[in-house]
Amino acid sequence: MSRIAIPTRDAAPEASRATLDAVHRQLGVVPNLFRLLAISPAALASYTGLSEPLKKVLDVKTRERIALAVAEVNGCDYCLSAHSYLALNLAKIGPEEIALNRRGGSSDPHADAAVRFAATVARERGHVSDADLAAVRLAGFGDAQIIEIVALVAENVFTNFLNEVAATDIDFPAVRAAA
């Protein structure tokens, strides 16, 4: 059971309802994460303010692969469940690739560099080496894309931490982090 009560759409602050409605139009449901964020209109706006622009610069497969790697690093079952579902159903990533992504890699060489870098950023809390930067650059990622990967890691760390603090009830097929 969640440690922070998750409101219904109608019980959420008025300032959050338009965003919740937009999420419902996009996904057909409003996941618990968004209703949890809705408790604070500022937090919800901050989250969407970061995530929406990143959808325009990083493709869905890259975003989901990175989200899976970061959720595994942080041991967030809610996010692993949500992003496993989204990876399979939205990004059309297969189960074998999802397993690789959770381990911080990918079968696609270009994606592998991004996922490895993102996992290192998360695991090392930003303290990456020159070799880490060189590897992601060698794979064809420019400085703007490196910054976008770091932004995506930060977005996912935020939701990982929030879901762990709240012990958010999982409303996707449950996936558990490796022990």
Side-chain angles (χ1 to χ4, degrees), residues 85-99:
Y85 180 85
L86 292 170
L88 282 168
N89 296 289
L90 177 66
K92 305 301 184 194
I93 297 172
E96 299 82 14
E97 178 69 11
I98 288 171

Side-chain angles (χ1 to χ4, degrees), residues 79-111:
C79 291
L80 278 171
S81 300
H83 290 290
S84 293
Y85 180 85
L86 292 170
L88 282 168
N89 296 289
L90 177 66
K92 305 301 184 194
I93 297 172
E96 299 82 14
E97 178 69 11
I98 288 171
L100 285 172
N101 301 156
R102 289 181 60 184
R103 291 192 302 272
S106 174
S107 61
D108 175 274
H110 188 70

